[in-house]
Amino acid sequence: MTRGTSYYSMYQWSPSPYWRWLWSVVTRLTDFGPPPSTIALDLFRTTTHNKPQVSRLSPWVPCPPPRFSTPFSLPKQYTQQLRQGSAEIDMLAAVSRASRLGRALMAWLLLTGRLVQAAGYSLDLTSQQSIKETAKGLADDMLSFYSGDKPGGIPGLLPSPYYWWEAGAMFGALIDYWYYTGDDGYNQLVSDGLLFQVGTNRDYMPNNQTLTEGNDDQGFWGLAVMSAAEYNFPNPPADKPQWLALAQAVFNTQAARWDTQDCNGGLRWQIYQWNKGYDYKACFFALGARLALYTGNQTYADWAERTWDWMWSTGFINNETYYVIDGAAIGSNCTTFSPYQFSYNAGGFILGAAAMYNHTESKTWKDRLDGLIKGSEVFFVGDNNDIMSEVACEPVDRCNIDQQSFKAYLSRWLAAATQWAPDTYDTVIPYLKASAKAAVNQCVGGSNGRMCGLKWARNEGKYDGTTGVGQQMAALEVLLSTTIKSRGVPKTAASGGTSEGDVNAGAGDIGRKDPTLNYTPPTAGMKAAASFLTLAILTGLFSAVAWLLFDETSDKKMLAQVKGSVANFKATVTGGVAAGAGAGVFVGAAAGGRRSSPTNEKGAQATTGYVSSRSSRISDKAIQQMPVTVNRVRSDSNNSTRRLSNMPIGWRNSATRAAPVSQVITSNDADRISPVDTQGSR
């Protein structure tokens, strides 16, 4: 079989257009491919959608097989890239003229991914397939920051520096992804994360988060499972908490925290009083409104009305512009407002007002919805004032990790509002489409050449250098929102919703004002295991103490040594107390008891002294008279003599012999062992 035949077979066999493209380039490099002019001509033939194209970031582009290398007219959208890509064409042409070794090296770099870079996405907003393929890439890159589905990871947690709440928001985005595209590839990951973080009382107050958890943190998880219920996201197993019941649990615990002592109502930002932000107000309007629409329960609608009235009366929603401010401190009775507006606050009220309008069909709620949508125009900038921006922080490069994701929620909830209030679609969709185009256009960063930044407006498609979960989520949500008209209306319990609810969900945490953990009583098996572990620890502790007291240079048995140590300890205590000795003498004598009694080791004359001063009190003569016999071990009989040192035999010279300590034992002066200086001490 010729190389050409093998090439075509490979091209036809590969199931991936990308690998067909890569194989074509490698074949050209290693098979003395066509002339440089043919390669240059083929640089702009695109075999599949959303594949790398010539740009400043990507010198490698799809090349069809040689049999298709015939003249053709260059598509208009590549004309600008042709002018930009002349350097890349020249480089590839030069490589084609290189030696076989040079081509082989270049092919290896391609196959190992060293030179293959993606130059963003070729988005066509009129093509559902293009939108789905782009959304898939955005979702994949968002999940590159998540390790909860990998060995050693914790389901439902994003790594530092992301806070717990943003994982709940991310799962909400993935539920949206499934709803818009029908791709269920992430569904199991989403279910695992949402269920792992429910907590003991199944209300998204897990024990590992309650010390720092805020009402808005808990609320984002509640909004995610509310979407799961509305979209008929696959239900959990029967023995697990259900999506609707989880949303109800979040609402119930937060309703119990409604505070009338300060500012005449509202929810505080944080749950527990020692957390920073306890004196800062927030609300749970959107969740109550959606529960009212889904269940038909008037209690939820009453809470939504109550929340709106409080927001309107305090001025948190501007009575003229419908701007939604971020909050206020209770020290001023909520009259001194934060001057900032953030997009997710406006988005949450737009969504809730749309749900209440659909639920009540009231002109009052329609007017409120229209006012909020008009007020949200403050978040759109650019030449036509139609590209979304986080205006409080983005223009001055001060958005923190949380704020980098806020545009995702305004995009998500603006689109959802059009389903409950269809006549708002023509007003909202131009903003979403312009924002989606600008957002995807600047997704050209990162090592893969398609990571998204934060800034969409006035950047001419340039990547701003920021990368993260929030940036990916925002681009994903605004892109998906452009197809909202093709999606079905969210379900309710009366229109096909299958998620089961529980009006009493979350009762275990209602009224809870501290994060004290309530553990279940231990079982008999747990008690037995604890007893065994306690016994093992105590045994190890006593063994360690005995080992410390054991004198390895003595021929006495361990039990005899322990008895001697105990006797010395008692004597020391008695003597120390009688003499009024201090604690320092008491402890020091007890520790030195292992050497305090007279001993006659290996025929040496009796010497006495404590360990702490032994080196200066043992006589030089006694030491010199101690015979040294090599190659003896401690298992010798009690009458045998053995080495006094644990130093390996032969150090530093392998030739050793028995000799008095003061005598030279090698011919090398460096190996001399000098006698103890009886005049000095250490």
Side-chain angles (χ1 to χ4, degrees):
M1 180 179 292
T2 65
R3 282 179 291 184
T5 304
S6 175
Y7 166 78
Y8 291 125
S9 298
M10 176 63 181
Y11 190 91
Q12 295 168 354
W13 167 83
S14 173
S16 168
Y18 170 76
W19 286 110
R20 294 200 298 268
W21 161 77
L22 182 59
W23 182 256
S24 70
V25 176
V26 171
T27 303
R28 288 164 185 256
L29 291 175
T30 57
D31 195 31
F32 300 100
S37 59
T38 305
I39 295 178
L41 180 65
D42 289 342
L43 283 172
F44 299 101
R45 181 179 293 278
T46 305
T47 58
T48 60
H49 192 71
N50 279 345
K51 290 299 177 285
Q53 299 165 2
V54 170
S55 72
R56 291 188 178 92
L57 293 176
S58 178
W60 302 107
V61 295
C63 296
R67 64 170 182 257
F68 295 137
S69 296
T70 57
F72 64 94
S73 58
L74 189 64
K76 182 182 299 184
Q77 62 266 34
Y78 297 147
T79 303
Q80 180 63 29
Q81 294 179 349
L82 177 59
R83 290 194 293 269
Q84 296 176 351
S86 58
E88 287 86 345
I89 296 173
D90 292 342
M91 183 180 73
L92 187 56
V95 170
S96 71
R97 293 190 294 267
S99 64
R100 182 184 294 272
L101 178 61
R103 295 184 182 188
L105 177 61
M106 190 64 66
W108 177 80
L109 291 173
L110 280 169
L111 286 172
T112 56
R114 307 298 175 85
L115 296 180
V116 177
Q117 300 178 3
Y121 300 94
S122 297
L123 175 64
D124 179 3
L125 286 175
T126 65
S127 168
Q128 290 286 320
Q129 186 62 27
S130 175
I131 292 173
K132 288 182 179 180
E133 290 180 357
T134 303
K136 173 65 174 175
L138 294 171
D140 282 342
D141 291 339
M142 179 177 68
L143 284 174
S144 68
F145 297 91
Y146 178 67
S147 58
D149 60 333
K150 298 177 178 60
I154 300 176
L157 288 186
L158 284 166
S160 179
Y162 299 100
Y163 292 101
W164 175 69
W165 73 270
E166 193 160 346
M170 182 187 74
F171 292 133
L174 292 174
I175 291 172
D176 278 358
Y177 172 81
W178 168 79
Y179 170 67
Y180 280 99
T181 68
D183 181 0
D184 61 0
Y186 306 122
N187 285 11
Q188 189 60 51
L189 174 150
V190 171
S191 294
D192 291 344
L194 288 173
L195 294 175
F196 196 85
Q197 294 295 323
V198 297
T200 304
N201 291 315
R202 298 183 170 188
D203 54 9
Y204 287 108
M205 293 186 66
N207 293 335
N208 64 334
Q209 299 295 331
T210 49
L211 283 175
T212 58
E213 184 176 350
N215 282 303
D216 54 347
D217 300 334
Q218 183 191 25
F220 266 94
W221 290 85
L223 292 171
V225 292
M226 191 69 236
S227 293
E230 292 166 342
Y231 296 158
N232 265 353
F233 189 75
N235 290 316
D239 61 336
K240 300 291 184 180
Q242 303 300 300
W243 306 133
L244 178 59
L246 287 168
Q248 290 172 311
V250 171
F251 181 86
N252 290 342
T253 57
Q254 294 198 351
R257 301 183 197 123
W258 187 267
D259 174 29
T260 58
Q261 294 182 355
D262 298 291
C263 306
N264 198 35
L267 284 182
R268 302 197 183 218
W269 178 24
Q270 297 292 319
I271 296 175
Y272 302 115
Q273 61 184 359
W274 55 81
N275 287 340
K276 180 181 179 182
Y278 186 65
D279 62 343
Y280 202 75
K281 294 289 185 178
C283 76
F284 65 125
F285 171 70
L287 184 57
R290 294 167 71 181
L291 282 169
L293 178 59
Y294 188 95
T295 65
N297 189 324
Q298 186 60 33
T299 300
Y300 298 122
D302 292 343
W303 271 107
E305 292 273 7
R306 182 179 185 182
T307 305
W308 175 274
D309 292 343
W310 178 80
M311 290 284 293
W312 189 262
S313 64
T314 57
F316 280 23
I317 298 177
N318 187 287
N319 294 180
E320 296 180 0
T321 63
Y322 282 82
Y323 292 163
V324 182
I325 68 167
D326 196 42
I330 62 175
S332 62
N333 198 33
C334 294
T335 58
T336 302
F337 302 142
S338 166
Y340 305 111
Q341 294 184 69
F342 291 104
S343 58
Y344 88 98
N345 286 324
F349 274 89
I350 288 172
L351 179 66
M356 288 300 293
Y357 168 60
N358 191 281
H359 175 63
T360 64
E361 299 182 355
S362 164
K363 184 179 183 301
T364 299
W365 278 111
K366 181 60 169 64
D367 292 341
R368 292 169 176 174
L369 174 60
D370 290 340
L372 289 167
I373 292 176
K374 180 66 176 178
S376 70
E377 291 178 359
V378 71
F379 298 107
F380 293 88
V381 299
D383 295 339
N384 299 316
N385 291 323
D386 58 357
I387 299 177
M388 197 179 299
S389 173
E390 198 61 51
V391 294
C393 60
E394 187 177 311
V396 291
D397 299 320
R398 297 299 299 272
C399 294
N400 61 26
I401 292 293
D402 292 349
Q403 294 157 1
Q404 290 170 1
S405 70
F406 285 175
K407 289 187 291 187
Y409 318 128
L410 178 57
S411 302
R412 178 191 303 177
W413 296 331
L414 274 174
T418 66
Q419 294 190 308
W420 289 325
D423 57 350
T424 64
Y425 177 84
D426 291 336
T427 301
V428 168
I429 200 63
Y431 292 98
L432 295 177
K433 287 186 174 181
S435 296
K437 182 178 179 181
V440 174
N441 193 38
Q442 54 83 50
C443 294
V444 294
S447 59
N448 63 1
R450 66 180 194 184
M451 299 300 287
C452 302
L454 176 64
K455 295 181 178 180
W456 303 345
R458 300 192 180 105
N459 64 354
E460 298 179 352
K462 295 179 181 178
Y463 172 61
D464 64 9
T466 67
T467 301
V469 174
Q471 290 89 326
Q472 293 299 131
M473 194 191 320
L476 174 63
E477 288 281 13
V478 74
L479 174 62
L480 292 173
S481 70
T482 62
T483 64
I484 187 65
K485 198 169 187 177
S486 64
R487 306 311 307 154
V489 177
K491 304 295 184 182
T492 68
S495 64
T498 60
S499 186
E500 297 181 2
D502 179 1
V503 294
N504 298 314
D509 277 324
I510 291 178
R512 179 179 169 193
K513 295 183 178 180
D514 65 79
T516 303
L517 304 181
N518 298 318
Y519 297 104
T520 57
T523 63
M526 295 169 65
K527 292 180 179 179
S531 300
F532 174 79
L533 290 174
T534 303
L535 180 61
I537 292 172
L538 291 176
T539 301
L541 178 62
F542 283 121
S543 298
V545 172
W547 180 80
L548 289 172
L549 295 176
F550 178 60
D551 186 358
E552 60 185 10
T553 63
S554 173
D555 290 323
K556 292 182 179 180
K557 301 295 184 182
M558 179 177 289
L559 182 60
Q561 291 189 42
V562 171
K563 290 180 178 179
S565 296
V566 172
N568 290 333
F569 178 77
K570 290 180 179 180
T572 302
V573 171
T574 303
V577 172
V585 176
F586 172 79
V587 174
R594 58 185 290 191
R595 291 294 185 90
S596 63
S597 59
T599 182
N600 184 6
E601 291 187 359
K602 320 312 181 274
Q605 73 179 46
T607 59
T608 61
Y610 292 105
V611 174
S612 60
S613 58
R614 189 179 183 202
S615 62
S616 61
R617 296 183 61 182
I618 299 179
S619 68
D620 182 40
K621 181 178 179 181
I623 293 177
Q624 291 183 358
Q625 290 180 352
M626 294 179 185
V628 178
T629 304
V630 300
N631 295 333
R632 294 284 184 170
V633 296
R634 67 177 302 154
S635 60
D636 288 349
S637 65
N638 291 338
N639 295 326
S640 64
T641 58
R642 63 184 179 87
R643 317 173 45 227
L644 297 181
S645 174
N646 286 329
M647 186 66 69
I649 300 299
W651 185 86
R652 296 171 51 190
N653 192 303
S654 59
T656 59
R657 57 185 182 276
V661 173
S662 59
Q663 179 180 337
V664 178
I665 61 175
T666 72
S667 59
N668 190 338
D669 289 342
D671 292 331
R672 181 185 301 275
I673 302 178
S674 302
V676 175
D677 180 7
T678 58
Q679 302 302 320
S681 63
R682 291 183 295 173

